[in-house]
Amino acid sequence: SGAWLGVFAAWGVRPQDLFGIDLSARRAAAALQRLPQSEIVHGDASTLPWPDASFDLASQFTTFSSVLDPAMENAMAAEILRVLRPGGLIAFSSHNRCYVRAKAGPELHRSRNPLRFALHLARYVASMRVHLRMKAPRHFEDDYALIDESSPDHALLHYHVDRNAQERQLQRLGYEIVDVLDRAGQSVPKGEMAPKSRSLMYVARKA
């Protein structure tokens, strides 16, 4: 929908210097409507339409964690590396395998308002039914997991990865780690797994 490109524009980046791609034609069109001076296309991130060494910064948010095919994930990462200039940065977020509630399933939200709490309870029960139906595809390994994010009417299966495994993947693909941030934007010290953060933001430089 162009929300993050809009953030970059608000930070002072000229709209004509912003480029984007989305697998959803509807979302790409919405982003272009929001930022008509930017180049935003409908397409597949494993085959980016821009020349080599085009950008100083590339970003993506929970995209890798929504792709379960390792070959596709590697192709996307390689394409980002291709379009970055030497020394260019990539910033992206991934679901944190070490988050303390990663395996917990739907959460019941409390409220002092009886009507609102009843609505929360009904939503929780419906979400839990969906969560229980997703037991078979859930999968856990030491450094990654496939975990569902369930709501009353749908469930999404996300790839969760721990910090060490994510950093190894980046280094294997030719990136140098610059920083790792938690959801509050605080730098996570090297070696720590940030168990209180649902996702982590990685900033890496093209080596």
Side-chain angles (χ1 to χ4, degrees):
S1 64
W4 273 106
L5 291 180
V7 170
F8 287 124
W11 287 346
V13 180
R14 298 185 307 167
Q16 58 267 38
D17 291 332
L18 293 170
F19 298 76
I21 187 169
D22 202 295
L23 191 59
S24 164
R26 179 181 60 82
R27 292 176 68 86
L32 193 57
Q33 187 172 16
R34 175 181 288 189
L35 294 162
Q37 292 178 280
S38 302
E39 183 179 324
I40 301 167
V41 300
H42 168 225
D44 181 344
S46 68
T47 52
L48 297 176
W50 299 291
D52 296 357
S54 294
F55 305 112
D56 295 309
L57 172 68
S59 65
Q60 63 84 21
F61 299 93
T62 66
T63 303
F64 286 132
S65 58
S66 300
V67 176
L68 304 183
D69 179 2
M72 173 64 75
E73 194 174 57
N74 287 337
M76 291 164 55
E79 275 294 272
I80 293 173
L81 189 63
R82 179 184 67 78
V83 299
L84 278 176
R85 296 188 178 104
L89 296 175
I90 178 174
F92 71 93
S93 63
S94 286
H95 292 283
N96 184 12
R97 168 69 177 82
C98 297
Y99 176 52
V100 292
R101 285 192 51 81
K103 299 180 182 180
E107 184 176 0
L108 175 59
H109 297 283
R110 308 283 179 174
S111 176
R112 294 181 179 179
N113 182 309
L115 179 58
R116 185 170 297 168
F117 179 70
L119 292 172
H120 287 330
L121 182 60
R123 183 175 180 83
Y124 169 77
V125 171
S127 297
M128 185 57 74
R129 288 198 188 104
V130 175
H131 176 67
L132 292 174
R133 289 201 299 269
M134 292 294 292
K135 182 178 180 179
R138 284 197 291 272
H139 183 77
F140 298 92
E141 296 289 345
D142 290 340
D143 55 4
Y144 79 93
L146 301 179
I147 305 174
D148 61 291
E149 179 181 297
S150 299
S151 74
D153 54 1
H154 73 276
L156 298 174
L157 199 63
H158 289 299
Y159 177 76
H160 290 59
V161 61
D162 76 23
R163 175 186 181 163
N164 290 338
Q166 185 67 85
E167 290 186 350
R168 287 196 301 270
Q169 290 175 7
L170 286 168
Q171 290 163 352
R172 188 172 65 249
L173 290 166
Y175 293 100
E176 173 193 351
I177 309 300
V178 175
D179 205 353
V180 179
L181 308 173
D182 62 19
R183 282 175 66 91
Q186 300 298 310
S187 184
V188 180
K190 187 173 179 61
E192 294 190 10
M193 296 301 179
K196 294 183 179 179
S197 187
R198 183 186 299 271
S199 61
L200 293 175
M201 170 73 73
Y202 296 85
V203 181
R205 180 181 293 111
K206 181 178 179 178

